[in-house]
Amino acid sequence: MAVREILKLPDKRLRLVSQPVKKIDADIRALVDDMLETMYAAPGIGLAGIQVGIDKRVVVMDLSKKEETHKPQVFINPEVTWASEEKSSHEEGCLSIPEYYEEVERPKEVKLRFLDLDGKAHEISANGLFATCIQHEIDHTNGVLFIDHISKLKRDRVIKKFTKAAKAAKKKVEA
Ligand code: K1U
Ligand code: ZN
């Protein structure tokens, strides 16, 4: 198990559309183990494969409370099969856009289809933080970031800030 580097805005790989997992093999299991370790180390409540540079449709999540024992969840090839008309708004953050939080409006309830690590298919409903987080993570598998759901003014401002920081960090390494 290893903590992997999390890609940060404006890394272009965050805009890739990830590929479906065809076979749940040892490489996928190792990726899931590393993603969980990376998510817990960050710390975060979710992570998609592309955030560690792997363009596979793999998502991990843990919505357990701080004082509870870990409840890791794994979603292979997750997809939304139904979304409610009713919307709800939650504050979102992203490990690829550190320390930036904004309210995002999304469908209040969704139905999901995914495979578990044994390749078994599941169809479940999600609401509350689970619905917010799984929609955020499925967006990652499609190259979509939560800042794509906020105003262009706010989005441009945050992209500019992170682009400037990345350039400054690069210059420091080269000096
Ligand atoms: O996908 C990601 O970048 C992870 C992201 C998930 C998420 C959070 C909130 C709303 C939607 C999706 C995060 O985990 S950001 C960090 C975070 O929320 C957190 C960190 C420590 C403790 C509790 C929450
Ligand atoms: Zn994110």
Side-chain angles (χ1 to χ4, degrees):
M1 292 236 284
V3 172
R4 300 198 190 187
E5 189 191 341
I6 297 178
L7 305 185
K8 306 282 178 340
L9 194 72
D11 195 307
K12 287 189 171 66
R13 288 171 288 177
L14 290 168
R15 294 309 192 170
L16 291 175
V17 175
S18 294
Q19 299 303 308
V21 172
K22 289 194 183 125
K23 191 167 177 251
I24 301 169
D25 56 15
D27 284 351
I28 293 294
R29 288 173 200 281
L31 171 66
V32 165
D33 284 348
D34 287 358
M35 285 173 62
L36 284 166
E37 195 170 343
T38 305
M39 179 188 74
Y40 289 128
I45 56 172
L47 196 69
I50 196 57
Q51 290 181 278
V52 292
I54 306 294
D55 62 341
K56 298 242 164 72
R57 302 182 85 83
V58 176
V59 163
V60 296
M61 201 182 291
D62 192 331
L63 302 179
S64 62
K65 298 204 174 73
K66 238 185 190 173
E67 61 280 6
E68 291 175 350
T69 46
H70 285 168
K71 289 195 188 86
Q73 290 181 278
V74 179
F75 305 88
I76 310 282
N77 299 337
E79 52 183 316
V80 171
T81 56
W82 173 85
S84 63
E85 290 283 321
E86 193 181 350
K87 312 277 187 220
S88 69
S89 182
H90 282 274
E91 188 175 73
E92 296 194 19
C94 182
L95 297 175
S96 297
I97 314 174
E99 288 162 44
Y100 184 75
Y101 301 90
E102 270 299 338
E103 286 286 319
V104 175
E105 194 181 78
R106 297 182 184 272
K108 189 172 191 242
E109 193 183 348
V110 290
K111 282 195 170 67
L112 317 167
R113 187 190 295 145
F114 63 95
L115 301 178
D116 64 22
L117 268 179
D118 297 319
K120 188 177 168 217
H122 297 263
E123 192 144 13
I124 59 171
S125 293
N127 56 39
L129 182 58
F130 182 25
T132 298
C133 196
I134 195 67
Q135 290 180 80
H136 176 117
E137 302 307 334
I138 291 174
D139 269 359
H140 273 304
T141 69
N142 291 320
V144 174
L145 299 172
F146 86 94
I147 54 170
D148 299 333
H149 297 286
I150 65 177
S151 74
K152 184 172 169 0
L153 185 74
K154 285 182 179 171
R155 181 167 60 252
D156 288 350
R157 209 184 282 155
V158 68
I159 291 171
K160 198 171 165 189
K161 185 180 159 197
F162 277 80
T163 303
K164 202 173 156 191
K167 275 188 189 150
K170 193 170 172 240
K171 218 170 167 186
K172 206 174 161 191
V173 168
E174 286 165 357

